[in-house]
Amino acid sequence: MAQLHVSIQRRWKLFLSATILIGSLFATAFYFVLVTHDLKSFPPDIIRFTWQSLTAKEKVKEHQKVVLIFWSTFFGSTLECSIDRPNKYCNNSRLQNCRVPCEITSNRSRASEAAAMIVHTRDPYPLPPETYRNNIPWILFGVENPVYTPTLYDKKFLANFNYLYSYNLEQADFYVASFDKPSVKPLPLPFSKKNGLVLAVFSHCEAARTAYLKELMKYIQVDSYGSCLRNKPTGELAGRSSKDFKKAKTELARRYKFTLVFFNQDCDYFVDDQLTHALNAGSVPVYMGTEKIHELMAGNLRDALIKVKDFKTPKDLAEYLKVVSENENLYNRYLRWKYQGFNFPANYSSTKHGLAWARDEEHPYPDYCFVCEKIEEFRGKPMKPAGQIKPEYCKPRKITDWLNQLNRTTGVH
C-alpha cells in the first residue's frame, strides 16, 4: 500500500509538471507573438490557437462598434456616408483613428444597429420610429442660429431628444466648432501689394447688415460682389453653390486690406466660416455678430478683429479704416498672429472650443469620434433623459441694434 501511494504521488507530480510545462510553452508563444509578431517559427496549431485568443478582444470590439444613424436629410439632401463619397458631416474615412470603433450612416435600413439617432435641426421630420425612443439616445444636431431654426425653441419638439450637438458653448452636450481654426499660412500679401480697400460678399440681404453696409458705403469705398448692394461684377467668384466658391472668395480677399464679416444674426456663439475665410486670406475682418466672440477667439486672435460695435456710427468706422489703411505698422498689428503664430492661454486646449480645434488638426471633422466615445461610455448606464434640452431663444436683429445713433439723427427705418 505504501509503495502504491508513493507511485500515485509520483504520477501526480509528473502530471502537474507536464501541465506547467505545456502552460509555459503556450505562455511563451503568446509573449513571442505579442512582442515580436513573428509567427514563422511556430507550428500551425499553436499559431491558430494564439491568433484566435488574440482576436477574441477584437471580435468583441467589432461587435461593440458605435453606429450613428444620421436619420434626417441635410438641407433636403441625403448625406453620402461612404468612404468614396466624402462629406463634412458624414465621412467615415475620417473616423479611422477614433478610440472606439465608430461609423456614421444615413442608411435608415440599418436602424436596428444604431447606438444613437441624429436629427438635423433644419430637416427634423419625419422623426425616427417610436420603437427607438427609449432604447437609444436621440441627438439633435445643427449649426444654424435659432432665428432661422424654430426647432431650437420648440419645447414640444425638443422633448424628443436626449442630447444637443451644437456650436452653443453653454448648452451643447456635444460641441462642434461652427468655423474652422484659421491658418497662419500662406502669409498675407505685403501691405503695398493690397490694392483693394474693403471687400463685401453677402448673398442674404438681412435688413440690418444691409442697412449698415449701405450707410458705410457713403464714407468709404466698399467693393460688393454679393447680391446685396452689388457694385462689382461677380466674374471673379464662382457660383455660390460651386465647390470652388470659398476658395475663390478667399483668394479675392487676399488683395483687400479689410473684409466685412457681418453675420446674419447676433445669436450667442453663432459664427460661420466667413470669418475663417477672411483670416486665412490675411485680410483684416471687420466684424458684426455675437458679442461672445471673445470666447471663441482666444489669445492673440482677439487682436485680429475690428469690431463694428466699437464705433458709434458707420462714419466713425469708415474714418478709422482709412487711418489704418494708410499706416502699415498699425495695420500689421491686426495680422501679428499670422507672422508670430498662435499665442493661446495655457488652459485653452482644455476648453470645448480649444479641444474641437485640436481634434480638427489631428484629423479633420472628427467630432463624431467624440460622440462615439461618449455613446460607448453610456452603454449599460442610464442616459440623459429626454426633455432636458433648454429652448434657445434669440431675438431677430433690428436695424436700430446697429444703427441706433444713425436712426436718431437721420430717421432711417
Side-chain angles (χ1 to χ4, degrees):
M1 287 296 294
Q3 291 180 344
L4 179 61
H5 182 70
V6 170
S7 176
I8 292 173
Q9 283 185 328
R10 287 177 178 174
R11 291 177 182 178
W12 179 247
K13 288 180 179 179
L14 287 172
F15 174 76
L16 289 177
S17 298
T19 301
I20 292 171
L21 178 61
I22 293 171
S24 298
L25 288 173
F26 277 116
T28 302
F30 274 113
Y31 175 81
F32 196 83
V33 170
L34 286 171
V35 174
T36 68
H37 302 286
D38 183 6
L39 302 177
K40 296 180 180 178
S41 58
F42 285 92
D45 290 341
I46 293 180
I47 293 175
R48 191 177 303 111
F49 176 83
T50 303
W51 179 250
Q52 289 173 349
S53 300
L54 288 173
T55 56
K57 288 187 177 181
E58 291 300 317
K59 290 180 180 179
V60 172
K61 187 177 182 181
E62 179 68 21
H63 180 68
Q64 293 180 342
K65 176 188 287 186
V66 178
V67 177
L68 307 174
I69 304 290
F70 201 105
W71 184 265
S72 306
T73 55
F74 189 74
F75 292 104
S77 300
T78 300
L79 290 177
E80 292 284 352
C81 300
S82 58
I83 292 179
D84 59 335
R85 295 288 297 275
N87 179 285
K88 177 174 179 176
Y89 296 109
C90 203
N91 192 329
N92 285 301
S93 65
R94 291 169 174 164
L95 302 179
Q96 302 302 307
N97 296 323
C98 295
R99 286 177 286 186
V100 301
C102 181
E103 180 183 0
I104 181 166
T105 178
S106 57
N107 185 354
R108 294 180 179 181
S109 67
R110 295 182 61 189
S112 60
E113 304 174 48
M117 292 285 183
I118 300 175
V119 173
H120 186 220
T121 55
R122 296 287 290 273
D123 302 71
Y125 299 106
L127 290 173
E130 288 288 329
T131 53
Y132 299 106
R133 182 173 301 283
N134 297 320
N135 299 326
I136 59 175
W138 287 17
I139 301 172
L140 183 61
F141 165 78
V143 291
E144 300 297 319
N145 69 65
V147 172
Y148 304 114
T149 313
T151 53
L152 289 174
Y153 52 84
D154 184 336
K155 292 182 180 180
K156 184 177 180 181
F157 175 78
L158 293 175
N160 291 298
F161 296 91
N162 306 87
Y163 301 102
L164 178 64
Y165 185 11
S166 165
Y167 64 85
N168 190 309
L169 275 175
E170 294 179 3
Q171 301 197 45
D173 298 290
F174 303 115
Y175 176 75
V176 55
S178 58
F179 69 109
D180 297 337
K181 184 178 181 179
S183 175
V184 295
K185 295 181 180 180
L187 292 177
L189 287 180
F191 182 83
S192 60
K193 291 187 177 181
K194 292 190 175 185
N195 52 21
L197 190 54
V198 182
L199 172 68
V201 185
F202 303 128
S203 294
H204 173 204
C205 301
E206 184 272 325
R209 72 177 176 186
T210 304
Y212 196 99
L213 174 60
K214 183 178 181 179
E215 191 65 20
L216 184 66
M217 284 176 160
K218 295 178 181 180
Y219 307 104
I220 192 170
Q221 176 62 40
V222 178
D223 292 349
S224 177
Y225 290 82
S227 302
C228 310
L229 304 177
R230 179 187 301 162
N231 59 14
K232 286 288 184 178
T234 57
E236 294 192 60
L237 293 176
R240 186 174 179 82
S241 60
S242 168
K243 64 179 181 180
D244 295 325
F245 171 77
K246 294 179 180 180
K247 180 179 179 181
K249 178 184 173 184
T250 301
E251 192 59 33
L252 177 63
R254 281 176 58 79
R255 308 202 308 260
Y256 282 83
K257 289 179 178 175
F258 307 101
T259 295
L260 300 185
V261 177
F262 291 4
F263 298 125
N264 57 33
Q265 294 296 332
D266 308 320
C267 305
D268 287 352
Y269 303 109
F270 176 68
V271 178
D272 64 34
D273 57 3
Q274 61 176 300
L275 177 57
T276 306
H277 301 160
L279 292 169
N280 285 349
S283 179
V284 177
V286 181
Y287 171 82
M288 174 189 288
T290 172
E291 294 185 19
K292 297 195 176 184
I293 186 66
H294 65 280
E295 296 183 41
L296 306 176
M297 299 284 283
N300 57 352
L301 275 183
R302 291 184 179 177
D303 300 325
L305 306 177
I306 294 176
K307 299 177 184 177
V308 173
K309 278 282 190 182
D310 290 341
F311 301 89
K312 291 182 178 180
T313 67
K315 182 179 179 181
D316 292 336
L317 172 61
E319 290 176 353
Y320 181 73
L321 294 180
K322 289 177 182 178
V323 170
V324 176
S325 71
E326 296 170 358
N327 186 321
E328 184 173 358
N329 289 332
L330 179 58
Y331 179 80
N332 283 335
R333 289 180 188 177
Y334 291 99
L335 298 175
R336 191 175 296 166
W337 68 275
K338 274 279 197 179
Y339 298 103
Q340 298 179 355
F342 299 111
N343 182 15
F344 294 146
N347 66 337
Y348 183 67
S349 61
S350 62
T351 65
K352 282 184 179 181
H353 192 67
L355 284 169
W357 272 3
R359 291 197 301 271
D360 188 61
E361 287 178 328
E362 292 168 5
H363 40 110
Y365 310 109
D367 301 280
Y368 286 121
C369 286
F370 181 69
V371 176
C372 284
E373 290 163 15
K374 290 300 180 183
I375 294 299
E376 179 64 22
E377 288 180 17
F378 299 155
R379 287 189 195 269
K381 301 177 183 178
M383 59 184 157
K384 178 182 173 182
Q388 294 189 12
I389 298 176
K390 296 179 181 179
E392 188 176 346
Y393 299 104
C394 179
K395 293 182 180 180
R397 179 190 282 160
K398 298 178 181 179
I399 293 177
T400 52
D401 294 338
W402 292 95
L403 294 172
N404 195 31
Q405 182 171 336
L406 180 68
N407 183 61
R408 291 196 301 269
T409 57
T410 66
V412 172
H413 296 288

